[in-house]
Amino acid sequence: MHRILSNQLPQHVGETVTVAGWVHRRRVLANVTFVILRDRGGLLQIVTRHDETQEEQVVEVTGKVVANSVAPGGVELVEPVFTVLGPAEPPPVELFRPELKASLPVLLDHAAVALRHPARRKVFAASAAVVGAFRAALDEQGFTEVFTPKIVGSATESGANVFQLDYFQQKAYLAQSPQFYKQTMVGVFERVYEVGPVFRAEPHDTSRHLATYTSLDAELGFIESHRDVMAVLTEVIRAMVGAVNNHGYDVSMPVDVPTLHFAEALKIAGAPEDEPDLAPEHERALGEWALAEHGSDFVFVEGYPMRKRPFYTHPQPGEPRWSNSFDLLFRGLELVTGGQRLHRHADYLAALAREGQDPAPLRTYLEAFQHGMPPHGGFAIGLERFMARVTGAANVRETTLFPRDLHRVAP
Amino acid sequence: MHRILSNQLPQHVGETVTVAGWVHRRRVLANVTFVILRDRGGLLQIVTRHDETQEEQVVEVTGKVVANSVAPGGVELVEPVFTVLGPAEPPPVELFRPELKASLPVLLDHAAVALRHPARRKVFAASAAVVGAFRAALDEQGFTEVFTPKIVGSATESGANVFQLDYFQQKAYLAQSPQFYKQTMVGVFERVYEVGPVFRAEPHDTSRHLATYTSLDAELGFIESHRDVMAVLTEVIRAMVGAVNNHGYDVSMPVDVPTLHFAEALKIAGAPEDEPDLAPEHERALGEWALAEHGSDFVFVEGYPMRKRPFYTHPQPGEPRWSNSFDLLFRGLELVTGGQRLHRHADYLAALAREGQDPAPLRTYLEAFQHGMPPHGGFAIGLERFMARVTGAANVRETTLFPRDLHRVAP
């Protein structure tokens, strides 16, 4: 069969064609039934007098394309001959409704079917485009993609919240981030990125936390400061925003993203000046400020206090209480964390000693710095969190195909 | 600083420029030292009388570009002024030599540094290009990228060789493949792919097995048979071969890839006709045949016996002892496994009953088939194995950045 997609149908008016897809909806009238077929091109209307279809049945349909201005796409299929390719029992959620009515737990339990709904599908089509845009923006700037291990021998980065594994009678852990590996790979390719799963044994049951998510990571060498990292990130985010806006979303990003020093951000948020970090209400206030003052859904905050950043963070030259790090807030929520890293071996040893941390488990990581590393920095973006802000989802589980959390490990 | 890359230098003859990179090699003569600098563009020669550099030191160098036909790229930098950006102790492997002399275990133990060698770097630059080509070929054919969970609640696909996890006081496992999820997502997008890690608790210590590798997975709906899958795969492999050949490798792929039925393959390999599978020596013989008879590094074998394929495999219509499945051999080794899958719920229940397998742990997977799925199929390519065949590496660890196996969980 030569199959035509629903969105190609307007080019075939007057012809007999074959289409195929899922029976999305049946509207049974006295003398006629309208069968709405769903395929990867969209929806299409079939008019029949002898309807034996069932919702979600997969059918192949041969019929004649005629113009009908009130049908989806301005065309419909008449005199159809149906062949059932895949039988179906009634779906567990009503996919034919313009909006899914089921609760989030029901949608997640029946994700295999619920994800077929056009509104759910749209989120993940946009999500795929976002990742493509992330890669394309970095490819253009000379970055190389890397694939680093998700099983690691020591729970190094923070020590807490790691999943432990039975690894051939050894202890091993799931990687919380590709942080150490992407830094190491700066020594090889100068500029690298990775798209992959990260694992957090988060004991929190919130709308923002998942046990595993897709991290969009980048790291680049030969920078002057974290500002060079912010410049690359700005181009990356611009590409990602372009991708979602092409998919029917509406995100505002001006040419210049407003940038505040941490001390300035505290003032605007009305927070005490000795706060060590931004609380959620401060982030919300900054999001409102950025939109009102700059028409921007994004605002950079740089110079976070060193004591709240990880040991590999580079201090602000001349002001070691502040750091050369930043967060990018998106609609009042932290989306990206990044910054300049330490690059000298001696600086790592000093930083670990200050924190009272044993350098021994980090030996293979520190080896890169022992043998020459340039000033470098990078960032990590949570894909699902980005899509939650884009779509206005209240819960990050809505923008994850098959979320994993404290209570959920299926489907 | 405005930094020039080594491969841009020929465009700046007569100018004073700034370059930056690693001190790759020092050739100390009586009156002069040649410092070879390595950056992401390649190698470049610096001529100096006052050399205080060290191998692997990261330096920024300002100097004058002059033509010199015997220097790399036909140019060199003279009257250099060096600034050290990153100090270095002597590297654990001799990176300056044209070929790395260290043994594989040493190279892997010191991967953080050994990967900087141009010969190692080349493998992973090509590998990144291969993944880009895989995605581009599928994007062009209307596929959508998906990100599916790597933590799963039941060890479903084969039961054996799974890593178990401490998951919030529940049992959970690392996904052996995205098989079930990519099939489910055919119900959403019709055509999907995923690039991601898969996990195999392989108790084998061989040159071919890893505990985790990068799987390039695709799945598509509305096929007539596995031949439609092979057609998509052929275009994907052609793109991947193009990518490696652009990186200086030499892989032969004719317009028509030779295709043998399993029964025919056994004859050519000189194997008994009741063999249930191809042994390594049979695969080698078929590789030699394909190269000699068709000038092809690739050969498809289709119709493998059902009893050696997983339960979701679709039988060959009219010949249920054979399957609608295939392997693609690359230089005499299985590279890709694929085929048509069952798509009717009743067929799944029958297949599981035949194997004496309880359908209960598969409930959420089977739900997709209960509610309408088209005939579909797909394939999975092991990235590291592909690169091992391309580069002629004897061990798949040579084409993995940081391999994981029975004995190795670091660096």
Side-chain angles (χ1 to χ4, degrees):
Chain A
M1 76 161 166
H2 181 64
R3 178 187 174 210
I4 302 291
L5 291 178
S6 59
N7 55 355
Q8 301 166 330
L9 223 55
Q11 301 148 38
H12 296 270
V13 173
E15 297 172 30
T16 294
V17 301
T18 298
V19 296
W22 286 258
V23 174
H24 183 64
R25 184 173 192 170
R26 298 168 59 242
R27 282 171 49 220
V28 183
L29 306 184
N31 293 317
V32 76
T33 298
F34 294 99
V35 174
I36 308 298
L37 194 78
R38 188 183 72 238
D39 67 11
R40 74 176 192 270
L43 300 175
L44 108 93
Q45 181 165 297
I46 302 165
V47 189
T48 179
R49 285 180 195 283
H50 313 283
D51 173 45
E52 293 176 0
T53 62
Q54 313 251 335
E55 272 160 28
E56 291 309 300
Q57 223 177 26
V58 179
V59 292
E60 186 180 295
V61 193
T62 300
K64 202 175 152 188
V65 186
V66 297
N68 175 352
S69 60
V70 300
V75 291
E76 62 188 12
L77 208 66
V78 298
E79 298 161 33
V81 179
F82 286 87
T83 310
V84 176
L85 299 179
E89 297 171 30
V93 290
E94 292 180 322
L95 291 175
F96 70 87
R97 294 193 187 277
E99 285 186 38
L100 278 166
K101 299 286 183 193
S103 69
L104 185 58
V106 170
L107 293 181
L108 297 182
D109 286 344
H110 299 285
V113 177
L115 288 167
R116 298 178 187 177
H117 190 276
R120 299 290 293 140
R121 190 185 185 283
K122 177 186 172 185
V123 173
F124 298 99
S127 188
V130 159
V131 179
F134 170 84
R135 290 196 202 96
L138 291 170
D139 285 343
E140 204 169 280
Q141 297 191 58
F143 282 71
T144 300
E145 185 170 16
V146 295
F147 299 92
T148 71
K150 304 310 161 203
I151 299 176
V152 293
S154 50
T156 45
E157 204 185 331
S158 81
N161 298 352
V162 292
F163 288 112
Q164 196 179 314
L165 200 68
D166 299 339
Y167 188 81
F168 304 121
Q169 277 86 52
Q170 294 179 62
K171 266 194 199 170
Y173 307 89
L174 292 182
Q176 287 180 290
S177 92
Q179 180 63 33
F180 297 168
Y181 292 102
K182 67 178 180 170
Q183 289 186 260
T184 297
M185 293 308 293
V186 165
V188 180
F189 288 119
E190 297 186 16
R191 305 183 144 214
V192 295
Y193 65 85
E194 178 161 17
V195 175
V198 297
F199 304 91
R200 309 276 168 104
E202 292 279 1
H204 313 299
D205 193 10
T206 81
S207 61
R208 286 169 66 166
H209 290 97
L210 294 171
T212 172
Y213 65 88
T214 304
S215 185
L216 311 179
D217 268 274
E219 196 81 12
L220 60 146
F222 298 98
I223 63 173
E224 305 256 3
S225 76
H226 63 292
R227 284 291 182 101
D228 291 332
V229 180
M230 287 163 63
V232 168
L233 173 60
T234 300
E235 290 320 299
V236 167
I237 294 285
R238 199 177 301 289
M240 291 165 62
V241 165
V244 292
N245 287 350
N246 278 340
H247 275 73
Y249 296 101
D250 184 19
V251 176
S252 297
M253 184 172 182
V255 173
D256 293 310
V257 174
T259 301
L260 300 168
H261 192 276
F262 181 78
E264 214 179 336
L266 285 182
K267 270 184 219 155
I268 288 175
E273 64 177 22
D274 58 349
E275 282 284 315
D277 207 349
L278 295 176
E281 66 268 25
H282 304 144
E283 294 188 350
R284 274 196 297 278
L286 291 166
E288 284 162 23
W289 172 86
L291 191 62
E293 299 292 320
H294 296 271
S296 178
D297 281 329
F298 297 91
V299 52
F300 273 116
V301 179
E302 61 180 352
Y304 281 75
M306 275 300 281
R307 62 181 158 133
K308 278 295 184 179
R309 303 303 258 199
F311 70 87
Y312 49 78
T313 306
H314 197 292
Q316 187 174 315
E319 283 280 3
R321 115 184 216 226
W322 305 119
S323 67
N324 265 7
S325 75
F326 62 84
D327 275 8
L328 179 65
L329 311 187
F330 178 23
R331 294 180 170 167
L333 191 70
E334 175 240 309
L335 170 68
V336 189
T337 293
Q340 182 176 359
R341 331 297 189 182
L342 301 176
H343 64 280
R344 291 183 190 87
H345 191 237
D347 292 344
Y348 273 90
L349 296 183
L352 290 167
R354 257 197 311 276
E355 304 222 343
Q357 207 177 321
D358 179 11
L362 296 170
R363 192 186 50 79
T364 60
Y365 166 51
L366 296 176
E367 191 176 38
F369 304 102
Q370 216 167 344
H371 303 290
M373 281 287 278
H376 64 282
F379 57 83
I381 311 170
L383 174 62
E384 296 81 355
R385 189 176 279 196
F386 178 76
M387 287 308 299
R389 300 316 282 169
V390 166
T391 60
N395 193 314
V396 72
R397 287 162 189 76
E398 293 175 48
T399 55
T400 308
L401 284 176
F402 304 96
R404 295 290 181 259
D405 61 30
L406 200 50
H407 307 292
R408 181 177 291 279
V409 71
Chain B
M1 76 163 163
H2 181 63
R3 178 188 175 209
I4 301 292
L5 291 179
S6 58
N7 56 355
Q8 300 166 331
L9 222 56
Q11 301 149 36
H12 295 272
V13 173
E15 297 173 32
T16 295
V17 301
T18 298
V19 296
W22 286 258
V23 174
H24 184 63
R25 183 172 192 172
R26 298 167 58 242
R27 281 171 50 221
V28 183
L29 307 184
N31 294 317
V32 76
T33 296
F34 294 100
V35 174
I36 308 297
L37 195 78
R38 187 182 73 239
D39 67 11
R40 74 174 192 272
L43 300 175
L44 109 92
Q45 181 166 296
I46 301 165
V47 189
T48 180
R49 286 180 195 282
H50 314 284
D51 172 45
E52 292 176 3
T53 62
Q54 313 251 336
E55 272 160 29
E56 290 310 299
Q57 223 177 27
V58 179
V59 292
E60 185 180 297
V61 193
T62 300
K64 204 175 152 189
V65 186
V66 297
N68 176 351
S69 59
V70 299
V75 290
E76 62 188 11
L77 210 65
V78 298
E79 299 161 32
V81 179
F82 287 86
T83 311
V84 176
L85 299 178
E89 297 171 30
V93 291
E94 292 180 321
L95 291 174
F96 70 87
R97 293 192 188 277
E99 284 186 37
L100 278 165
K101 298 288 181 192
S103 68
L104 184 57
V106 171
L107 293 181
L108 298 181
D109 286 346
H110 299 286
V113 177
L115 288 167
R116 297 179 187 176
H117 189 275
R120 298 291 293 140
R121 189 185 186 284
K122 177 187 173 184
V123 172
F124 298 99
S127 187
V130 159
V131 179
F134 170 85
R135 291 197 202 97
L138 291 169
D139 286 342
E140 204 170 280
Q141 297 192 55
F143 282 71
T144 300
E145 185 170 16
V146 295
F147 299 92
T148 71
K150 304 309 160 204
I151 298 176
V152 294
S154 50
T156 45
E157 204 184 332
S158 82
N161 297 351
V162 292
F163 288 111
Q164 196 179 314
L165 200 68
D166 299 339
Y167 188 81
F168 304 122
Q169 277 85 52
Q170 294 179 62
K171 266 193 200 172
Y173 308 89
L174 292 183
Q176 288 180 290
S177 91
Q179 180 63 33
F180 297 168
Y181 291 102
K182 68 178 180 170
Q183 288 186 260
T184 297
M185 292 308 294
V186 166
V188 179
F189 288 119
E190 296 186 17
R191 305 181 144 216
V192 295
Y193 66 85
E194 178 161 17
V195 175
V198 297
F199 304 91
R200 309 275 168 104
E202 292 279 2
H204 312 299
D205 193 9
T206 81
S207 62
R208 286 169 65 166
H209 290 96
L210 293 170
T212 172
Y213 64 86
T214 304
S215 185
L216 310 179
D217 268 275
E219 197 80 12
L220 59 146
F222 298 99
I223 62 172
E224 304 256 2
S225 76
H226 63 292
R227 283 292 181 102
D228 292 332
V229 180
M230 287 161 63
V232 168
L233 173 59
T234 300
E235 290 319 301
V236 168
I237 295 284
R238 200 176 302 289
M240 290 165 61
V241 165
V244 291
N245 287 350
N246 278 340
H247 274 74
Y249 296 101
D250 184 19
V251 176
S252 298
M253 183 173 183
V255 173
D256 294 309
V257 174
T259 301
L260 300 168
H261 192 276
F262 181 79
E264 215 179 336
L266 285 183
K267 270 184 218 156
I268 288 176
E273 64 177 21
D274 58 349
E275 282 283 316
D277 208 349
L278 295 177
E281 65 270 26
H282 304 144
E283 295 187 350
R284 272 195 298 277
L286 291 165
E288 284 162 22
W289 171 87
L291 191 60
E293 298 292 320
H294 297 271
S296 177
D297 281 330
F298 297 92
V299 52
F300 273 116
V301 179
E302 61 179 352
Y304 280 74
M306 276 300 281
R307 62 181 158 133
K308 278 293 185 180
R309 303 303 259 201
F311 70 88
Y312 49 78
T313 306
H314 197 292
Q316 187 174 315
E319 284 279 5
R321 123 185 208 223
W322 307 119
S323 67
N324 265 6
S325 75
F326 62 84
D327 276 8
L328 179 65
L329 311 187
F330 178 22
R331 295 182 171 168
L333 191 71
E334 175 240 309
L335 169 69
V336 189
T337 292
Q340 183 177 358
R341 330 297 190 183
L342 300 175
H343 64 280
R344 291 184 190 88
H345 190 237
D347 292 343
Y348 274 91
L349 296 182
L352 289 167
R354 258 197 312 275
E355 304 222 345
Q357 207 178 319
D358 179 11
L362 296 171
R363 192 185 51 79
T364 60
Y365 166 53
L366 296 176
E367 191 176 39
F369 304 102
Q370 216 167 342
H371 304 290
M373 281 288 277
H376 65 283
F379 56 83
I381 311 170
L383 174 62
E384 296 81 356
R385 190 177 277 197
F386 177 75
M387 287 307 300
R389 301 316 281 168
V390 165
T391 60
N395 194 314
V396 73
R397 287 161 188 77
E398 293 175 47
T399 55
T400 308
L401 284 176
F402 303 96
R404 295 290 181 258
D405 61 30
L406 201 51
H407 306 293
R408 181 178 290 280
V409 71

